[in-house]
Amino acid sequence: MYREELFIESFANELRRKREEQSLTLSQLAENSSVSATFTMRLENGKRKNASIEVIFKLANALEIDISDLVQKCKI
């Protein structure tokens, strides 16, 4: 089951964890994904509460992970 508020927080944490795991800066991820560093930072900080599937797809591809890796761990 997904609960929106907890899902958003978990997604933000997982996105940051995956980025830092690869020692990528926000700027490097932005360059690799075509998603601005500001947008990604806002996602990671929970200031941006929504992202299109296209953005999530671009971030996952840039991190070389499956989208499900970002989403599955967010189940509550």
Side-chain angles (χ1 to χ4, degrees), residues 33-51:
S33 68
S34 300
V35 176
S36 76
T38 302
F39 188 92
T40 303
M41 179 181 66
R42 290 176 54 82
L43 280 174
E44 287 185 356
N45 292 330
K47 303 234 186 286
R48 181 72 190 216
K49 305 275 188 228
N50 60 357

Side-chain angles (χ1 to χ4, degrees), residues 17-65:
R17 190 181 74 73
K18 292 289 189 182
R19 179 179 60 78
E20 290 176 347
E21 193 175 83
Q22 295 182 31
S23 301
L24 291 173
T25 65
L26 287 166
S27 296
Q28 290 169 321
L29 182 57
E31 187 175 311
N32 295 341
S33 68
S34 300
V35 176
S36 76
T38 302
F39 188 92
T40 303
M41 179 181 66
R42 290 176 54 82
L43 280 174
E44 287 185 356
N45 292 330
K47 303 234 186 286
R48 181 72 190 216
K49 305 275 188 228
N50 60 357
S52 69
I53 192 68
E54 179 183 9
V55 166
I56 296 169
F57 182 79
K58 287 179 178 182
L59 291 169
N61 277 341
L63 292 167
E64 298 179 346
I65 59 174

